[in-house]
């Protein structure tokens, strides 16, 4: 696998192993003593190392918003990495070579990412905010530390109110890199959540999942299925005449095995499945057997449903099939208690940095370019469930802690249906 090289790399790739352990001294908390939450004021490299004895392999979701390395000296984290602490560290550990700003940033990030990897649980996920200045470098060292196969996505969001004109192109987006600890556990790493911009009237919110099983294409062999008397329908009564299709069509499909667009056009077929017999429904049930012909999605499951007397399969969320008012066939199953998953790689409707700054100013806090709470709440909801441990080692304005507290409050207020009892480690 190709690896990124930079000045000082040899000195930092194993440096996380040499960071000394320090005891965590507990001061008075603004939260209840039994919450289990921790806010640590320290160099985050030392703090991460000190958390290992307690949280190694236990952190389910990590969100970090590291310095973007823009060269802006007014940035809270001092993006030129020229603070006295960093200068001393770079001089002793990395050496006194003239590192450029990318070298320094990589030297700073690498050991911290190594420790975060150790803290992450086997089914854990990490989200990292970044922009174009270091996005490619971050992706390279994440591939090296976490493994390229564990890369899940590069999500994009628009901060709003922050633009950077470069070569007459207005830069209005940032990134969130997403990596799993183990990609084979991604279904456990990513919770069933829905992107904030999905409209409230979307079918994704319905209690049932419903789709047509009629599907024609090269991967869907055409076949005849006999629907038995008593086959369920979602309409009380209907009487649909059989289709008038020439025999040459069936001869053609017998050779070709599947129904193409050309075949549909050639034979003037506009509706599927093709009804070889009339569809007569009374009291939501088929009155007499009817043969239907089409390409199918999961034909074997339809036939299994028929063999089992049209009884829903409890092992598959009450999977069942039914006739529609137009003579089509839908599969229907109950949505799981955990809900549905519909996540777009483009993050929309999660507020912006301008509003986040305004909210902080109203609390007497000034912080440049804070992430909005709604964005972090979405990412945390995406990467964790009840009783999981959350970690943010670049705490900044405390948005992650704020987001966790809001999610807990919403879960308790809503009968415990969301995320509860999350620990936010800063």
């Amino acid at each position: 696998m190709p690896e990124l090289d930079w000045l000082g790399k040899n000195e930092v790739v194993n440096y996380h192993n040499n960071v000394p352990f320090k005891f965590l001294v507990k001061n008075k908390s603004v939260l209840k003593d039994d919450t289990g939450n921790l806010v640590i004021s320290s160099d985050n490299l030392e703090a991460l190392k000190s958390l290992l004895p307690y949280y190694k392999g236990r952190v389910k979701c990590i969100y970090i918003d590291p310095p973007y390395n823009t060269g802006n000296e007014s940035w809270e984290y001092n993006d030129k990495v020229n603070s006295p602490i960093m200068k001393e560290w770079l001089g002793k550990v990395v050496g006194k070579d003239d590192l450029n700003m990318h070298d320094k940033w990589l030297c700073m990030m690498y050991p911290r990412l190594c420790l975060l990897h150790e803290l992450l649980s086997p089914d854990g996920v990490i989200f990292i905010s970044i922009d174009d200045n270091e996005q490619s470098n971050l992706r390279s060292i994440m591939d090296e530390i976490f493994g390229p196969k564990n890369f899940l996505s590069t999500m994009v969001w628009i901060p709003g109110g922050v633009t950077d004109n470069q070569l007459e192109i207005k830069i209005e987006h940032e990134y969130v890199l997403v990596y799993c600890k183990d990609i084979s556990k991604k279904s456990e790493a990513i919770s069933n959540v829905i992107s904030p911009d999905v409209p409230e009237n979307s079918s994704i919110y319905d209690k049932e999942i419903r789709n047509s099983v009629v599907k024609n294409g090269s991967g869907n062999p055409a076949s005849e299925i006999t629907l038995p008397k008593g086959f369920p329908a979602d309409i009380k009564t209907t009487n649909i005449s059989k289709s008038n299709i020439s025999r040459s069509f069936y001869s053609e499909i017998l050779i070709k095995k599947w129904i193409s667009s050309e075949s549909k056009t050639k034979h003037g077929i506009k509706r599927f499945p093709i009804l070889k017999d009339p569809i007569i429904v009374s009291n939501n049930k088929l009155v007499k057997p009817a043969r239907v012909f089409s390409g199918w999605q999961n034909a074997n499951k339809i036939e299994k449903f028929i063999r089992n007397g049209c009884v829903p399969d409890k092992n598959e969320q009450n999977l069942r099939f039914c006739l529609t008012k137009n003579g089509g066939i839908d599969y229907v199953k109950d949505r799981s208690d955990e809900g549905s998953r519909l996540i777009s790689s483009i993050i929309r409707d999660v507020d912006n940095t301008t509003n986040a700054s305004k909210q902080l100013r109203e609390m007497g806090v000034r912080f440049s370019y804070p992430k909005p709470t709604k964005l972090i709440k979405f990412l945390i909801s995406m990467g964790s469930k009840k009783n999981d441990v959350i970690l943010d080692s670049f705490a900044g304005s405390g948005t992650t802690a704020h987001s966790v507290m809001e999610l807990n409050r919403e879960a308790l207020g809503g009968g415990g249906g969301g995320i509860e009892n999350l620990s936010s480690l800063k």
Side-chain angles (χ1 to χ4, degrees), residues 140-180:
S140 293
I141 59 174
M142 285 296 292
D143 281 350
E144 188 172 329
I145 296 168
F146 281 73
K149 68 177 182 179
N150 294 314
F151 168 75
L152 185 61
S153 176
T154 297
M155 306 183 82
V156 178
W157 81 286
I158 300 173
V162 182
T163 61
D164 183 13
N165 290 311
Q166 297 176 9
L167 301 177
E168 299 182 352
I169 297 176
K170 184 182 289 187
I171 307 301
E172 295 189 291
H173 67 279
E174 293 185 9
Y175 307 99
V176 179
L177 263 61
V178 189
Y179 278 77
C180 294

Side-chain angles (χ1 to χ4, degrees), residues 42 50 60 156 161 179 184 199 212 264 277 319 331 385 409 414:
S42 168
S50 298
K60 175 62 172 61
V156 178
Y179 278 77
S184 69
S212 173
K264 297 177 192 176
D277 298 300
L319 176 66
Y331 82 80
K385 297 178 182 177
R409 190 182 302 115

Side-chain angles (χ1 to χ4, degrees), residues 385-418:
K385 297 178 182 177
K386 180 178 178 180
N387 295 326
D388 283 336
V389 178
I390 312 300
L391 167 64
D392 180 352
S393 58
F394 290 89
S397 61
T399 306
T400 302
H402 186 187
S403 300
V404 169
M405 292 174 68
E406 283 198 5
L407 287 167
N408 285 337
R409 190 182 302 115
E410 291 168 9
L412 293 172

Side-chain angles (χ1 to χ4, degrees), residues 217-218 220-223 251-259 293-295:
S218 58
N220 305 94
S223 65
S251 300
E252 182 180 307
I253 302 306
L254 185 64
I255 298 171
K256 196 171 185 178
K257 305 297 184 185
W258 60 280
I259 302 171
F293 187 87
S294 181

